[in-house]
Amino acid sequence: MAARAHHLLLRLALLCACACAAALGSANAAGRKMVGVYELKAGDFSVSVTNWGATITSVVLPDSKGNLADVVLGYDTIGGYVSGKSYFGALVGRVANRIAYARFVLDGKAYHLFKNDGNNTLHGGHRGFSQVIWTVKEFVAGGDSPYITLYYHSFDGEQGFPGDLDVYVTYELASPYELRVHMNATAANKATPVNLAQHTYWNLGGEGSGDVLHNTVQLFASRYTPVDSALIPTGVVAPVAGTPYDFLAPTPVGARIRQVSGGKAGIYGYDTNYAVDGDDAGAGAALRKVAVVRDGKSGRAMELWANQPGVQFYTGNFLQDVEGKGGKVYGQYGALCLETQGFPDAVNHPSFPSQIVSPGQVYKHDMVFKFSF
């Protein structure tokens, strides 16, 4: 009881927190729950999170001259995240990315999911983990390691997926200028696919400051998974050498972007899963260096480390006149995403690393963002 009272006091003490009532329309909802915004702060480094979709709503840090800026795209109100279609900052699942024809077979049984991307399922369906209210389990706003832990219970049959699943994510700040993300999920009673991804859109020059085509990106991945016209993997894992997908050396985002189809006629850009170099990945695996992004104008840089086999590199190809924070309008290539993950459509490709979690097993996904300037 004392811990619960302490948690409530912390929530009341957060001056920047906003709250609104929102109905949780799933079968396991009872009445209405509150949605809030929670700030983690360490000196001039701060991250704000809402329990709507376990979403990162802002990341504020200095540039090389000490000027502060928010470097992630988003909205001014919770309503923007509820109605938005871009997954700004959200934790997506139960299975991130695409599942072909919204179906898969597991233990001899066919499962049919919600189609929300043409004939396919994207990011868990039309009401995946990014579109539900998470429970705030712990929240420490300041100190040496500010953090927030959020919890969601996904029920058997939600969006068509089998089995009950208990999901946790912790966002934690560490010195100097590190954001750590710890995700885990336990399957309760049935085997089920699990592939969580953190879907923040990064613009190290500051959100709304223009496109990221001048940013340099280095991906520690010598292979990628080619896709068809619907952005579904073909099953091949191909070398990046000699292709426009090669970012083994630091390369401007825009250097070869016009050579890459974005999945629709007239749309160009990366929406590509890379196989991160290294032997081991997944629960219990050591963190591996995944990517480095640099913005020359601001001097900001971001390293990403994680323990997953893949990373989705997305260049905001479908952003078009999206009204964001402070009335700013986000356009095409206005940010980039680096979503560590299992391979897309792995449930339909036995040769890909498995995403199946058996009853009692725990899925673990760790990420570290290291910022410098």
Side-chain angles (χ1 to χ4, degrees), residues 36-60:
V37 177
Y38 303 83
E39 183 184 57
L40 310 174
K41 189 170 178 61
D44 56 2
F45 179 36
S46 65
V47 174
S48 292
V49 175
T50 175
N51 58 319
W52 175 263
T55 298
I56 293 175
T57 61
S58 73
V59 175
V60 176

Side-chain angles (χ1 to χ4, degrees), residues 40-338:
L40 310 174
K41 189 170 178 61
D44 56 2
F45 179 36
S46 65
V47 174
S48 292
V49 175
T50 175
N51 58 319
W52 175 263
T55 298
I56 293 175
T57 61
S58 73
V59 175
V60 176
L61 69 159
D63 65 7
S64 59
K65 298 180 180 178
N67 300 313
L68 296 178
D70 184 356
V71 296
V72 303
L73 274 57
Y75 304 102
D76 286 328
T77 67
I78 296 297
Y81 293 94
V82 173
S83 61
K85 305 299 182 184
S86 299
Y87 301 96
F88 286 155
L91 192 144
V92 296
R94 176 178 304 197
V95 175
N97 220 301
R98 292 171 174 85
I99 295 178
Y101 300 106
R103 71 180 300 276
F104 64 93
V105 176
L106 178 59
D107 294 335
K109 181 177 178 179
Y111 291 92
H112 299 274
L113 313 174
F114 281 94
K115 296 179 180 180
N116 64 325
D117 183 56
N119 288 321
N120 309 311
T121 296
L122 176 64
H123 294 330
H126 77 285
R127 196 172 175 281
F129 292 177
S130 61
Q131 288 291 307
V132 297
I133 302 173
W134 294 57
T135 299
V136 179
K137 285 293 189 181
E138 294 182 274
F139 171 51
V140 176
D144 293 335
S145 299
Y147 72 94
I148 185 169
T149 297
L150 304 168
Y151 164 77
Y152 180 67
H153 175 77
S154 179
F155 58 89
D156 184 13
E158 185 173 20
Q159 297 294 290
F161 290 100
D164 293 303
L165 190 73
D166 292 312
V167 188
Y168 292 85
V169 59
T170 297
Y171 297 110
E172 179 183 15
L173 304 191
S175 180
Y177 300 100
E178 287 188 6
L179 168 60
R180 300 175 180 176
V181 184
H182 310 281
M183 299 170 247
N184 67 74
T186 303
N189 45 25
K190 294 181 183 178
T192 184
V194 181
N195 181 30
L196 307 179
Q198 217 300 318
H199 207 296
T200 292
Y201 285 67
W202 301 97
N203 184 327
L204 296 180
E207 56 85 25
S209 64
D211 65 53
V212 296
L213 297 177
H214 61 284
N215 283 186
T216 61
V217 170
Q218 184 176 17
L219 299 176
F220 296 86
S222 55
R223 299 174 300 152
Y224 75 110
T225 52
V227 295
D228 62 19
S229 60
L231 299 177
I232 299 294
T234 62
V236 174
V237 183
V240 300
T243 77
Y245 299 94
D246 187 349
F247 284 87
L248 285 168
T251 304
V253 172
R256 300 182 296 258
I257 201 167
R258 299 286 297 181
Q259 300 176 42
V260 179
S261 172
K264 289 186 179 179
I267 300 291
Y268 299 93
Y270 297 91
D271 195 356
T272 307
N273 174 65
Y274 287 79
V276 180
D277 290 340
D279 295 330
D280 299 316
L287 294 176
R288 299 178 296 177
K289 197 172 187 179
V290 176
V292 178
V293 183
R294 298 185 185 277
D295 175 65
K297 186 174 181 180
S298 68
R300 294 189 184 96
M302 179 180 77
E303 286 186 10
L304 171 59
W305 295 68
N307 66 346
Q308 294 301 292
V311 59
Q312 189 81 7
F313 176 42
Y314 174 56
T315 48
N317 314 328
F318 295 105
L319 290 178
Q320 185 175 7
D321 298 331
V322 178
E323 186 173 345
K325 300 171 185 175
K328 294 173 184 153
V329 177
Y330 305 142
Q332 190 177 45
Y333 314 131
L336 59 84
C337 302
L338 289 164

